[in-house]
Amino acid sequence: MNITIVAGARPNFMKIAPIIEAIQNKKEEGFNLNYRLVHTGQHYDKNLSGTFFEELNIPLPDSNLDVKSGTQAEQTAAIMIGFEEELKQNPCDLVMVVGDVTSTMACTIVAKKAHVKVAHVEAGIRSGDMRMPEEINRIVTDSLTDYFFTTSNYANENLVRLGVSKSNIFFVGNVMIDTLLKNEKRLQKPELWEQLNLSSKKYLVMTLHRPSNVDEEKQLKTLITQIVTLGEAYPIIFPVHPRTQKLLSNFNLNFKNLHYVNPLGYLEFNYLVKQAFAVITDSGGITEETTVMNVPCMTLRDNTERPETCDIGTNILVGNDPEKIEKAFKILFSGTWKQGEIPELWDGHAATRIVHHLATMSS
């Protein structure tokens, strides 16, 4: 079986790393599994993509479509044009897409129109929020996918409700947690640790990039001001996504305890998360990592496609509701934040299970 693996944005690289390793291990056992790695270039900033190849020991891509930035439509079109040519030049038996970024959806459409089967890793997750570009990507991708690799029973149930045959749904666990568990002992203290005189469990980490939080200037200013004020006793480390940086540059929002930093590599960022008192974010993937590392997490969204992080993990949803945010900080500072558990099959072996199924399909 010849597999083309697609990655385009920061979350994708964490997910493909263990899959590639598992394929290589299976090949050493004598199975005829080959892969070709295509980087769409959706994230082209070195700190958003480049460092991941070095840090996670991912082989360099066989092809880089180099699409870079643009509107949703421009990026989607550029990826589709580039990937169509890629498949013409390098035919394969299966296209594997991961996650829910623009590249996931665009390459799925191209593959199916080229009559190539598609496997979707992290299939079936849903937020129910059609304002999120990722939700549209998930729906389109899963409507075309042939093989569904899932992270939770919630995802399985979503797919069954859509009419997907249970024989095509494979509950394998979470490949992003494979990467976290493998690299937990390799996490690196960033330079800013000494520069800002940080100490374990004595600071907060914040990330913001969702359009609902950062696209409207007044909303962004209000949100940051409240969080910084409520957390005034703690330094707040804010790695700024390029998208958010453009908006922040339009106004002067400086606080003594708020530290803007550049995007960090995987090993440094997760070192910060693991040692943090709490994380405030609007990212879905980070809520999975905080759950496994048992770090309190507030999600600045009204919904989540990863409900297990709330039901049994360390995550709670606060949206951008001032009352909910204030209540969450009170719980945090009172020392009564809920203790989380690790979801089923988030054990570091998801990629091995995926590749086992692929090997079975190819035999």
Side-chain angles (χ1 to χ4, degrees):
M1 179 183 281
N2 294 316
I3 305 165
T4 293
I5 301 174
V6 175
R10 178 174 178 140
N12 289 172
F13 303 109
M14 306 172 211
K15 295 165 189 172
I16 64 165
I19 295 171
I20 288 173
E21 182 180 9
I23 289 173
Q24 290 169 336
N25 291 340
K26 208 69 175 173
K27 280 193 66 150
E28 289 175 6
E29 293 175 18
F31 286 84
N32 188 21
L33 286 179
N34 303 292
Y35 76 89
R36 179 176 173 83
L37 177 58
V38 176
H39 182 356
T40 67
Q42 182 181 333
H43 273 176
Y44 52 91
D45 180 278
K46 183 172 174 62
N47 286 326
L48 288 178
S49 67
T51 59
F52 281 69
F53 290 92
E54 302 155 20
E55 292 185 337
L56 302 181
N57 298 314
I58 303 171
L60 289 175
D62 298 287
S63 174
N64 190 326
L65 306 185
D66 200 27
V67 301
K68 298 192 175 178
S69 61
T71 66
Q72 290 281 330
E74 288 168 341
Q75 243 187 8
T76 301
I79 293 166
M80 290 179 72
I81 292 167
F83 192 61
E84 182 179 54
E85 186 60 29
E86 160 66 28
L87 283 187
K88 281 182 185 176
Q89 298 295 326
N90 301 282
C92 63
D93 303 304
L94 180 75
V95 168
M96 175 176 282
V97 296
V98 298
D100 51 21
V101 300
T102 303
S103 300
T104 308
M105 175 190 70
C107 293
T108 296
I109 295 171
V110 171
K112 291 303 292 183
K113 290 198 172 188
H115 309 295
V116 179
K117 289 189 179 296
V118 173
H120 183 200
V121 175
E122 206 177 74
I125 65 174
R126 295 289 187 276
S127 69
D129 186 351
M130 293 296 289
R131 296 171 300 172
M132 294 175 61
E134 295 90 343
E135 186 74 352
I136 297 166
N137 296 341
R138 294 172 197 130
I139 291 169
V140 173
T141 300
D142 283 342
S143 70
L144 298 171
T145 290
D146 298 283
Y147 307 113
F148 304 79
F149 295 107
T150 62
T151 60
S152 71
N153 280 313
Y154 292 106
N156 299 340
E157 291 163 6
N158 289 336
L159 292 169
V160 170
R161 278 196 296 270
L162 290 172
V164 175
S165 170
K166 289 183 179 180
S167 64
N168 291 336
I169 300 172
F170 305 93
F171 177 31
V172 293
N174 193 328
V175 287
M176 199 158 78
I177 301 308
D178 289 12
T179 296
L180 178 65
L181 295 178
K182 180 178 180 181
N183 291 283
E184 208 165 5
K185 292 181 180 177
R186 297 179 60 235
L187 299 182
Q188 296 173 3
K189 185 185 292 185
E191 286 184 12
L192 62 87
W193 185 274
E194 307 294 346
Q195 294 166 357
L196 300 177
N197 197 28
L198 300 179
S199 55
S200 182
K201 307 304 176 184
K202 299 292 185 184
Y203 63 91
L204 307 175
V205 171
M206 178 168 70
T207 76
L208 292 170
H209 74 282
R210 296 279 172 202
S212 58
N213 286 325
V214 304
D215 274 7
E216 205 281 305
E217 183 175 312
K218 184 179 178 182
Q219 171 64 42
L220 181 59
K221 290 174 77 170
T222 300
L223 197 56
I224 291 176
T225 301
Q226 184 188 19
I227 290 166
V228 171
T229 303
L230 288 169
E232 63 182 350
Y234 290 81
I236 298 176
I237 314 305
F238 185 9
V240 183
H241 190 282
R243 172 190 178 84
T244 312
Q245 181 62 59
K246 290 179 183 177
L247 298 155
L248 288 172
S249 64
N250 293 331
F251 48 88
N252 189 21
L253 200 60
N254 295 310
F255 298 88
K256 187 177 179 181
N257 64 322
L258 180 62
H259 303 282
Y260 298 103
V261 300
N262 290 326
L264 297 165
Y266 180 84
L267 299 177
E268 291 186 338
F269 179 73
N270 277 291
Y271 182 97
L272 274 187
V273 169
K274 185 174 183 179
Q275 301 298 328
F277 183 46
V279 171
I280 302 124
T281 187
D282 57 12
S283 162
I286 290 173
T287 69
E288 295 176 320
E289 293 164 331
T290 52
T291 281
V292 170
M293 291 191 280
N294 198 30
V295 176
C297 183
M298 299 178 208
T299 295
L300 302 168
R301 289 167 51 187
D302 296 317
N303 49 64
T304 178
E305 63 283 358
R306 296 165 170 90
E308 61 274 20
T309 65
C310 296
D311 292 348
I312 66 171
T314 59
N315 182 32
I316 65 169
L317 300 178
V318 296
N320 48 33
D321 182 328
E323 289 185 12
K324 288 183 179 178
I325 294 170
E326 184 175 0
K327 182 180 177 182
F329 268 94
K330 285 180 179 177
I331 295 169
L332 178 65
F333 293 144
S334 72
T336 58
W337 199 270
K338 60 180 179 174
Q339 287 296 308
E341 297 178 14
I342 297 177
E344 184 181 0
L345 295 187
W346 291 22
D347 57 4
H349 301 292
T352 301
R353 295 185 192 101
I354 289 170
V355 174
H356 169 75
H357 289 302
L358 293 177
T360 301
M361 292 172 199
S362 68
S363 60

